[in-house]
Amino acid sequence: MSRKKYRWHLSGQEPTEMDLHIMQLEKEGKLVPTRDMVKTPEQIEGIRIAGRVNTGCLDAVAREIHEGMSTQEIDDICMQYCREHNAVPACLNYEGFPKSVCTSINEVVCHGIPKKEDVLKPGDIVNVDMTLSVDGYYGDASRMFVIGGATTPEKEQLVRVTKECLDLGAEAAKPYCTIGDIGHVIQVHAEKYGYGVVRDLCGHGVGLAMHEEPDILHYGRPGTGMVLVPGMVFTIEPMINMGTWKVFIDSDDPYGWEVISGDEKPSAQWEHTFLMTETGVEILSY
């Protein structure tokens, strides 16, 4: 007779209250994480340090970003900050990505490559997405910037609503919630404005590598997907398009990285790294 193989199992030790709760959820048919998705206290402290450095890097960009500068200059700021803080830019040479940071302007959804010829203009909206590692631990976050301090009302609303989507997702991220609980509140809020929630890209586990399990979808139904338990570290990073949720990569892109909204309308993204605790989420990088 075959026996079901459970994802959450113990190795001889007495089960904790958390173990018992997770094992009960799994018996009820919920998809639970494996134990290696839960970080140790030592790992969490290393990730927290990396998160602080990553936040400082984005703060350095925020102090300098302005109209007339190229996105290559943003990359230069990030590279210099990493050198000064003994950090490694995780994007650099990752699967052929040629720069240390992603700079995505207007209709570019994500993975925009910094270039000397991409000069920021008044009214542009740009996402700066930075991931770095310190002593083998990773921090990851992105922010939106409105160049010149003002843009069209339509773009201003998109940037604001996307940040609200991130905040609502964080509020929904309670201990033992599911990924679908997070995605549902994001999708509902974005679609109230007629926006499209990008489905081809998502948040993810992070900390010991740049991308880990699980995938954090920004759309879905409550009660579906993996259960998130204390000790897990992950990003929520909704990518919200002003029009369709669909995206494409330009066939003329020599690197095959820059993701563009399907109708070439503007897109926005905000991202934090979160630690799930017994009471909710702690922001580790923003």
Side-chain angles (χ1 to χ4, degrees), residues 42-60:
E42 294 77 16
Q43 290 169 340
I44 290 169
E45 184 55 31
I47 299 166
R48 186 176 281 115
I49 291 168
R52 286 199 293 266
V53 176
N54 198 77
T55 297
C57 187
L58 287 174
D59 287 345

Side-chain angles (χ1 to χ4, degrees), residues 106-109 158 241-244 260-267:
N106 296 327
E107 74 277 6
V108 180
V109 176
L158 176 66
N241 292 346
M242 191 178 286
T244 179
I260 301 169
S261 64
D263 50 16
E264 299 189 51
K265 292 182 178 180
S267 182

Side-chain angles (χ1 to χ4, degrees), residues 50-52 54-55 130 139-141 271-274 283-286:
R52 286 199 293 266
N54 198 77
T55 297
M130 185 66 193
D140 185 6
E271 175 187 12
H272 292 343
T273 294
F274 296 98
I283 300 173
L284 300 184
S285 185
Y286 60 90

Side-chain angles (χ1 to χ4, degrees), residues 156-265:
E156 286 181 358
Q157 177 176 274
L158 176 66
V159 171
R160 173 180 59 81
V161 170
T162 303
K163 180 59 163 61
E164 291 169 356
C165 285
L166 171 61
D167 293 341
L168 288 167
E171 288 176 16
K174 305 294 185 186
Y176 309 106
C177 77
T178 67
I179 292 171
D181 297 334
I182 296 171
H184 178 72
V185 298
I186 291 172
Q187 183 178 6
V188 167
H189 190 63
E191 291 181 351
K192 281 195 306 187
Y193 294 85
Y195 297 155
V197 180
V198 173
R199 301 187 179 205
D200 294 29
L201 302 123
C202 58
H204 50 86
V206 68
L208 306 185
M210 183 161 64
H211 295 126
E212 302 175 1
E213 292 186 86
D215 290 343
I216 306 295
L217 305 181
H218 302 117
Y219 63 95
R221 293 181 292 110
T224 61
M226 186 179 291
V227 174
L228 299 175
V229 308
M232 294 179 74
V233 179
F234 52 90
T235 70
I236 302 174
E237 48 182 295
M239 286 152 271
I240 308 298
N241 292 346
M242 191 178 286
T244 179
W245 60 264
K246 296 180 180 179
V247 299
F248 71 95
I249 294 177
D250 193 330
S251 59
D252 292 332
D253 178 357
Y255 294 100
W257 271 102
E258 294 191 342
V259 179
I260 301 169
S261 64
D263 50 16
E264 299 189 51
K265 292 182 178 180

Side-chain angles (χ1 to χ4, degrees), residues 73-115:
E73 291 176 83
I74 296 174
D75 188 80
D76 294 341
I77 291 168
C78 294
M79 283 294 296
Q80 182 62 28
Y81 192 91
C82 286
R83 283 192 289 267
E84 291 172 353
H85 293 82
N86 298 314
V88 177
C91 288
L92 185 60
N93 298 322
Y94 176 80
E95 295 185 358
F97 193 86
K99 300 291 181 175
S100 67
V101 65
C102 300
T103 53
S104 304
I105 305 171
N106 296 327
E107 74 277 6
V108 180
V109 176
C110 62
H111 304 160
I113 296 173
K115 308 179 188 72

Side-chain angles (χ1 to χ4, degrees), residues 65 104-106 108-109 124-129 142-147 155 158-160 162-163 238 267-271:
I65 195 167
S104 304
I105 305 171
N106 296 327
V108 180
V109 176
D124 282 343
I125 59 172
V126 56
N127 178 266
V128 178
D129 187 347
S142 80
R143 300 181 195 173
M144 292 299 299
F145 296 96
V146 176
I147 304 305
K155 285 185 183 178
L158 176 66
V159 171
R160 173 180 59 81
T162 303
K163 180 59 163 61
S267 182
Q269 177 191 15
W270 292 86
E271 175 187 12

